[in-house]
Every structure is written in C-alpha cells, then in structure tokens.
Amino acid sequence: MKNEMPLALHIPEPKFRPGDHPDFSDMRLPAAGAAPRPDTHANARDTHPLVYDLIRVLDEAGQAVGPWNPKLDPETLKRGLRYMVLTRIYDDRMQRAQRQGKTSFYMTCTGEEAIGVAQAMALDRADMCFPTYRQQGLLIARDWSLVDMMCQIYSNSRDRLKGRQLPVMYSSKEAGFFSISGNLGTQFPQAVGWAMASAYKGDHRIAAAWIGDGSTSEGDFHHALTFAGVYRAPVILNIVNNQWAISSFQGFAGGELTTFAARAVGFGLPGLRVDGNDFLAVYAATEWAAERARANLGPTLIELFTYRASAHSTSDDPSRYRPADESKCWPLGDPVERLRRHLTALGAWTDAEHEALVEELTQSVRAANKEAESYGTLGTGPTVSASTMFEDVFKEMPPHLRRQRQQTGV
Amino acid sequence: MPAMNMIQALRSAMDIMLERDPDVLVFGEDVGFFGGVFRCTEGLQQKYGKRRVFDSPIAEAGIVATAVGMGAYGLRPVVEIQFADYIYPATDQLISEAARLRYRSAGDFTAPLTVRAPYGGGIFGGQTHSQSPEAIFTHVAGLKTVIPSTPYDAKGLLIAAIEDDDPVMFFEPKRIYNGPFDGHHERPVTPWAKHPASDVPDGYYTIPLGQANVVRPGDAVTVLAYGTMVHVALAAAEDSGVDAEVIDLRTLNPLDLDTIVDSVKKTGRCVVVHEATRIGGFGGELSAVVQEHCFYHLEAPVQRVTGWDTPYPHAFEWEYFPGPKRVAEALRQAVEA
C-alpha cells in the first residue's frame, strides 16, 4: 500500500508559555478521599487502577478524608509543618547567599517540601535514601545539622565533602543520605542494589530512591525497575513529577501519553499516584510502600504529582519558558499552606503560633548561617587545603598522585 | 601444585573469596546455573547457592549500578560482563559513579566492586566480541585496571582485585583462557598444562595490584605488553633473536612506573604492544611516560605495535591482530636504529 499522506512528527508543547494565562481547569483532579486503599499485602495488580488515579487525603476545607488518611496525631503533624517551614526558610536563606556571591549555585525545593519531609517521617531513620538534588527536606526532617549542610553549600573549611561537590550535592552515610550525583537517574538502580544488599544480609533497613519526571527517560530508570522487580528488592522508587525538567515540560518524558506511575504496570510492580502537595497523602503512600518492602513483598513505584514552584536552580530563569504566575495557579496549592490549614481546621494551630514558628526558625537559620559563614564561604574562604583534592581518589594514594600533589606545592 | 588453565584459575579465585568472605557475591548474565558462557563460574552456584551466585537481567548498566549500590552498603560484588564489547552501556555507572563515589562522598560511601570482562580478539568474534576497551577506563580517575597473562597471575590478581577497596576493571584475555597463544594462528594452541605458569596453588594467594612482572630479562630492548600480547612478545623475541626484556604490566592503573623506567634506562629502547586500536590507546600513555622519564637514555624512538584503527574485522583478524611477525619487525627496527 502506498502511503498518500506525508508523515509528520509530534513535538510536545506545554499548554502555556510566557504571556499566556495558565488555566488548569481541565485537569482531572479526583476528590480527596476517593481513591481506594488496597491492603499492603495486596497483589501488585490490585494497585493498578491507582496508577491513573490520584491519592489525596486533604480536601479543600483542610479536612483529612478517606481510606488513605494516616491519622497522624497533631504533634506529628506539627513536626511535619515545622520541618517544611524550616526547609523553605533554609532554601530562602541559601538562595540569597548565592545571590550575595557566597556560593556558586543553589537549588530550592519550593512547592515540593511535603515530599522530602513527609517521606523522611514515614521512613525509619535507619533506612537509606538515594535522593535527587531537591530532597533537602530528607536531611532536615532527620534533624541533620543545618550548619553542616551550609558548610557544604559554602565549600568552606568544614565542608565534609572537602570542596569537591557542587553545592546541594550533600552526602552523609550517618544521615542515611546517599551521595548525590549530577548524572541524572544513576542513583535509582544503585538504590535497588543497596536494597538487594540489605536483603542479602538479612538486615531490617530498606532503601528509598527519588528521580525527576524528566530523568525517567534515562536508561537507569528502566534498569532500576527491572532489577527491583526481578529480585523483589525492598526499595521504594519515587518519581517526583514536578512538571518541569529545567525548561522541558514533562511531555518530553512521555507524560502526555500516560502517567508516570503507570510505568509500574509493565514491570509488574505496584504503583501509586499521589498528590505530592498533600503531606498526609505522601506520608500514607510512603508508609504503605515501606510496609510492603519490610514484609518482603518487594518494591513500589510512587509518582508524586507536584509542581516546581521556583526556578530549576539559581542558573535558571523560568519566566523565559513558562508563565510567571503558573505556580500560583497550580490547582493543588502549596503544601505548607495546606498542612497549616489542616492543623488550623483541627483546632491545633493558630496564626499566632504559625508566625511565632516562622520567626523562631528564621532566627535559628540565621544563627546557623552565621556559624557556617564563620568557617568560610566559596567567595571569601577559608576552604580546606587544596592538597586534599588528591585524597580519596583511591583508598591508598598511588605514587602518581603523590607526585602530582607535590607538583602543586600545596 | 595442580595445573590450571586461566578459566580454572579465575574460578578458583572466586571460589576462595566466596568461601572466605560472606560479603562477596557473584552475578551477571548467565553466570549462575549455567556457569557463564566461558564457564568461569561453573559450579559456584551449586556450591554457594543461588543467593550468592546468580543470573542477572541482560542490562550491563543495571548490573554495574546494582553492584555500586551493594558496594555502598558494604558488600564486595564481583560482576561479569559477558564480553568487554558489551560494557559500554555500563560506562556511565563505571566512570561517573563507581569511580567517583569515594571521592565525592569524601570516603563516606565506596564502591569496592570487581568487574570481570573477557576482552580481545583472536577467536573470530567479529567486531562485537573482540574489542579491547582498557584505555577508556585507564583514563578515569578512581578506577583500577588489571589484565593478567597467565593462570597463576589471573588467580592472584583476581583475589587482590576482589579484596581491593576500590572499583577494579578486570579484563580477561579470552584468547589465552585455554593456552598461551603466541600469535602463530596457523600453529595449534599449546594448552596451559604444558606451561610453568599453569602451576597454580589450590589455596589463597595474591599478586599485589600495581606491580609489573619482568617475564623475560634482556638487554637490547624493553617490550611493554599485557594480556595475550605478553605471549606474542615472547614469541617475537624468540623469532627475531633480539635480546628483548619483556615486561608484563599486569596492572595498567596504577602503573608500575619504576619497573618500566629501570628497564628502559638499561636497554635504551622500547617497544609497546597492545591489541587495541592505536589512536588514543594505552600505548600512547606508555610511550609518553617512557619519553618523560627516559628521554636521555633512549637510543631509538619508542615504537608501538597495535591493532589497526578500524573496528575488528571478522574475516581478517589475523591481519588485524598484532602478531609476532609485526612485533619482531619492530624489535629489529628498534635495535638497528
């Protein structure tokens, strides 16, 4: 048969560009509380309707509804709110530090705070996290030292990574926070390997990994799902769909065709699609997946549906490729405000308490920053000795590196 | 002391390490029940169980990535890449991840994995089963690269590699798995059993990484070689009658500079031999270090005998392969210069 029609390509295009008025009214948003909650021992197939659904707990009035409500006590909720507010203030402080020339680079997680914070709280402190560069909330919710984090940002004399890593690429085995790579998605199958090792040793710890919507296009994403499924690794595989991979909208990762959670189906994994701006939904889904992993039922794929409210990084200007007010129009709101409203609706939180919290945390971040700056900044020093750049390439320094260190004269 | 071929020696190394260290596990495509396409892991699953020796999906990047994660946990995974030609999908995990994990986490996380990969030509494997990609990995800070040339060395070096706390690329010259092929393809291969280097102790021993071996002392010219090419170089020395000192590098990174420099200063001449293509090959690095450290002792230009700068041609591999004739010619040129 001769093809009479000239063939054509489809190049995805986001719905709105700068100058457009963003209108998300046609977005299908299932009501809070509507998604069913399968038993944690359910067959993977039982979750498959949920990969196209959206698990939501907090409704528009700030009430927690439906079977996914994790029924957290007010003290836990307040702790969650505290960590989210702290994460936002920390981000704001470090973003300004970058503008002041104290560091080269910074990435905020504005709008995505519920993910790092709720997931850290739903996991055990001993579980190992394999994050991307936008889950600083994991460290903060694990009460990791802000000064330590800032010293990494400033590449100063107390930088535990000795000035080798781009700011925000933290690493702390003690905090259960795996070294961040700039090569996207590489941590996803590594987390599977770590989880396999934990299972091999009969350990009790599970692993959790995060990847962005854009990076699901990387081969490593698919390797992770294959290996996790094949060996039934105790791992939670999270896709943070924040709609944007720098300036490429999620359609370029296949998001126009299906949901990211639906990738679970072909691999035989359970999958959940979750409102990523809903602290309670994120917590509940993570708890569900962790329970499965701990019961040797294997991995779970979770899509956290959210919006990257700020720029990709301090090197990015999102107003060049999307409407400036798009984040404000995002129909799932702001995670911090939603949890605050919930606590207020419960009668467990007041505006005065919130203002006092913001003030307290602002002061503590300011104090931490002052201390961190006393150990130096990238702009002004001091830094660790440059001679340390030859350390840790190998466990023992081989002769050629010893010679090169001598040549630098440091 | 039993005679072993290289496959048996490699298997013995893995056997010993599986026995000694519960943190060692072995996996890769077909390595479990079947024992690997070259049978290097044959019997290990039966002995240690499928929890410790198992098959993997056909995904080199996934194999290496999960090994990196296991290493970060504290295990010592030994993975097999079926042919070195298939390693390229895993290069990001090797180059960007395994090699730098210790560095970027300042020692907090490490990747003590061993990547075994049969490499090199001479088995009519065409351009997808014959490549020598060692130079790619020697260029990477944080990776060690090891290539044995005898069963004895293969076992001692593999044990050292598995015990090493850094990621090690362990390339196995598959042309000499069964015997010390000397490049005379028209002659039958002599099995390892008739070679002194096939005397391999049953038990544990190591050969330290980073130490070369002078396999043939001589005064006229230094030959730097590794893997199959060590045997080709020995044949060439014999055929040419040139009193060549043949050095088996054994480890390309870290390189045993002292042994190389001492020898070239003594002979004043140097020929470098490898199977890989010439441009950007490891021979360039060897020529450069000889020039840097021995320039005033050199009496002839450093010569390179290598594979040609083409993919490996299936039907013409003996024209491609740097055989003893080409090496002997280089030796004569070096001493006559």
Side-chain angles (χ1 to χ4, degrees), chain A residues 114-162:
Chain A
I115 293 166
V117 170
Q119 297 201 278
M121 289 175 67
L123 291 168
D124 190 86
R125 179 67 173 70
D127 295 333
M128 183 59 79
C129 298
F130 289 75
T132 77
Y133 41 68
R134 225 179 287 282
Q135 279 87 48
Q136 49 267 58
L138 292 169
L139 279 169
I140 289 173
R142 285 183 165 181
D143 294 314
W144 195 248
S145 154
L146 293 185
V147 175
D148 187 271
M149 293 169 72
M150 289 167 167
C151 289
Q152 199 279 314
I153 302 289
Y154 290 145
S155 301
N156 65 18
S157 59
R158 295 277 181 102
D159 174 8
R160 60 169 50 236
L161 306 182
K162 306 182 186 177

Side-chain angles (χ1 to χ4, degrees), chain A residues 179 181 200-201 231 389, chain B residues 22-23 51 55 97 103-104:
Chain A
S179 155
S181 177
Y200 169 81
K201 293 295 277 185
Y231 299 111
M389 81 168 119
Chain B
D23 289 341
R51 200 175 71 90
D55 292 330
E97 301 295 314
Y103 194 71
R104 76 183 198 215

Side-chain angles (χ1 to χ4, degrees), chain B residues 177-197:
Chain B
Y177 266 160
N178 292 308
F181 175 67
D182 64 5
H184 289 289
H185 56 91
E186 65 283 6
R187 297 205 299 235
V189 175
T190 322
W192 276 114
K194 298 193 174 161
H195 192 283

